[in-house]
Amino acid sequence: MPDTDLLYRQPDRNLALELVRATEAAAIRAVPFIGRGDKNGADGAAVDAMRSFLATVDFAGVVVIGEGEKDAAPMLFNGEQVGTGRGPACDIAVDPIDGTSLTASGRRNAISMIAAADRGSMLDASSVFYMDKLVAGPEAVGLLDIRRPIGENVRLLAEAKGKPVAEMQVGVLDRPRHEGLIEAIRAAGAGTRLMLDGDVAGGIDAASHDGALDLCVGIGGSPEGVATACAIRALGGFIQTVLAPRDDEERQRGLDAGLRFDHVYDAEQLVTSDNTFFVATGITDGNLVAGVRRDGPVIRTESIVLRSRSGTIRRVTADHLVQKWLES
């Protein structure tokens, strides 16, 4: 006989479909701020909506990866408890808007996202803000190594995928720190797709079998790296990361927190559970999901829902009555 109490304590597929309600709400509430230049206003509206919906979900969630410490409220802060407290105990990573700058400027690829896994399974890398990342699809598993020169990794992946290097597309955040990396990718013969923000969506795109990117590389936020790993475990893809402290003080904080430097963290070390969830709803149009649309009395959202244990990728299109949102 199955241990029904154990099953109840473990996150199941119903949780993913509950969490998508929270990302849908955050995305819808962010829409009035698209292109308005108000990053804080957009983020605040999305946070309020996500927090309200999470409060109705039957689970005992703890925000392991949020938007700062408690004194930064109204952000969903690290250590905040969410949900009703009944049901499975989970670590969650949240970003009501991954791409606040994209939203404020009206650019592509802004999403609202939540990742979840069994309690105690997510690496808490909050003491070190950045990590170097290498993300790709299943072909890269056992083949690529973040410690190799990027050109070598590009050539190896191109061979594994059976395509010319000249057709390889590599996503990189458009930052001054990546000038040398971008030059090396182009010198290897591959093309770059420079991302203004949102490397979570870029990483998932690179790991997806039908994605526009073959590889996503470079230094980005550590929280985003752990959240991406939840999705990668569901996609059967590849991720390696190395922590990138900005100074000696940050490095020491990481050491005090038990983090390892000059160490390659893979997907299983970033999230030790094999029962991970990743949900994201588009705010603006992007390669991963379409943005929020209004058509007369209806608001349409598109979301992606990933679960590692079942290996499923679901796309959820929902129509929401505008009147209900005006009343809420």
Side-chain angles (χ1 to χ4, degrees), residues 181-264:
L181 176 62
I182 292 167
E183 289 178 5
I185 293 167
R186 292 171 177 170
T192 55
R193 292 294 179 267
L194 302 185
M195 304 178 298
L196 294 177
D197 209 344
D199 66 340
V200 174
I204 296 171
D205 186 49
S208 301
H209 75 278
D210 57 351
L213 298 177
D214 297 290
L215 196 62
C216 190
V217 300
I219 295 173
S222 295
E224 288 83 354
V226 178
T228 302
C230 288
I232 297 306
R233 296 210 63 172
L235 292 166
F238 170 91
I239 182 171
Q240 286 184 343
T241 68
V242 176
L243 292 167
R246 292 170 289 185
D247 51 39
D248 290 341
E249 182 180 348
E250 189 174 60
R251 184 184 182 90
Q252 188 58 53
R253 285 201 303 271
L255 290 171
D256 293 342
L259 296 175
R260 301 167 66 184
F261 295 90
D262 303 319
H263 170 79
V264 177

Side-chain angles (χ1 to χ4, degrees), residues 26-313:
I28 290 170
R29 290 301 189 200
V31 167
F33 296 89
I34 294 174
R36 302 289 181 172
D38 184 2
K39 293 195 300 182
N40 292 337
D43 206 32
V47 168
D48 289 345
M50 181 173 283
R51 178 180 275 127
S52 294
F53 272 77
L54 285 176
T56 69
V57 178
D58 281 336
F59 80 131
V62 173
V63 178
V64 175
I65 299 166
E67 299 184 288
E69 301 304 325
K70 186 172 182 177
D71 59 5
M75 304 306 178
L76 281 151
F77 57 84
N78 298 341
E80 181 172 353
Q81 297 185 22
V82 295
T84 64
R86 300 184 298 272
C90 302
D91 286 348
I92 67 167
V94 298
D95 198 343
I97 302 181
D98 181 38
T100 52
S101 296
L102 300 176
T103 303
S105 58
R107 296 180 185 272
R108 290 171 52 85
N109 292 314
I111 62 173
S112 177
M113 74 91 187
I114 301 174
D118 298 310
R119 175 69 55 80
S121 62
M122 286 188 189
L123 179 72
D124 183 356
S126 58
S127 55
V128 179
F129 193 78
Y130 287 118
M131 57 172 55
D132 199 2
K133 308 168 193 175
L134 182 68
V135 188
E139 303 90 348
V141 176
L143 181 66
L144 302 192
D145 192 322
I146 196 171
R147 293 164 292 194
R148 291 198 191 106
I150 186 60
E152 185 177 346
N153 279 320
V154 169
R155 287 188 288 271
L156 284 169
L157 186 58
E159 182 178 353
K161 298 185 80 166
K163 62 193 299 185
V165 171
E167 294 182 7
M168 294 288 284
Q169 302 297 329
V170 183
V172 189
L173 282 174
D174 189 6
R175 302 289 188 270
R177 62 178 177 268
H178 289 151
E179 288 180 0
L181 176 62
I182 292 167
E183 289 178 5
I185 293 167
R186 292 171 177 170
T192 55
R193 292 294 179 267
L194 302 185
M195 304 178 298
L196 294 177
D197 209 344
D199 66 340
V200 174
I204 296 171
D205 186 49
S208 301
H209 75 278
D210 57 351
L213 298 177
D214 297 290
L215 196 62
C216 190
V217 300
I219 295 173
S222 295
E224 288 83 354
V226 178
T228 302
C230 288
I232 297 306
R233 296 210 63 172
L235 292 166
F238 170 91
I239 182 171
Q240 286 184 343
T241 68
V242 176
L243 292 167
R246 292 170 289 185
D247 51 39
D248 290 341
E249 182 180 348
E250 189 174 60
R251 184 184 182 90
Q252 188 58 53
R253 285 201 303 271
L255 290 171
D256 293 342
L259 296 175
R260 301 167 66 184
F261 295 90
D262 303 319
H263 170 79
V264 177
Y265 286 94
D266 61 18
E268 288 74 22
Q269 292 171 319
L270 293 167
V271 189
T272 59
S273 172
D274 67 350
N275 189 30
T276 68
F277 301 82
F278 181 90
V279 300
T281 301
I283 299 172
T284 59
D285 285 341
N287 295 335
L288 187 63
V289 281
V292 178
R293 290 271 193 281
R294 177 166 177 175
D295 184 8
V298 168
I299 299 170
R300 175 164 292 181
T301 58
E302 184 182 47
S303 306
I304 187 169
V305 180
L306 311 175
R307 187 185 181 204
S308 64
R309 180 159 291 174
S310 58
T312 50
I313 304 169

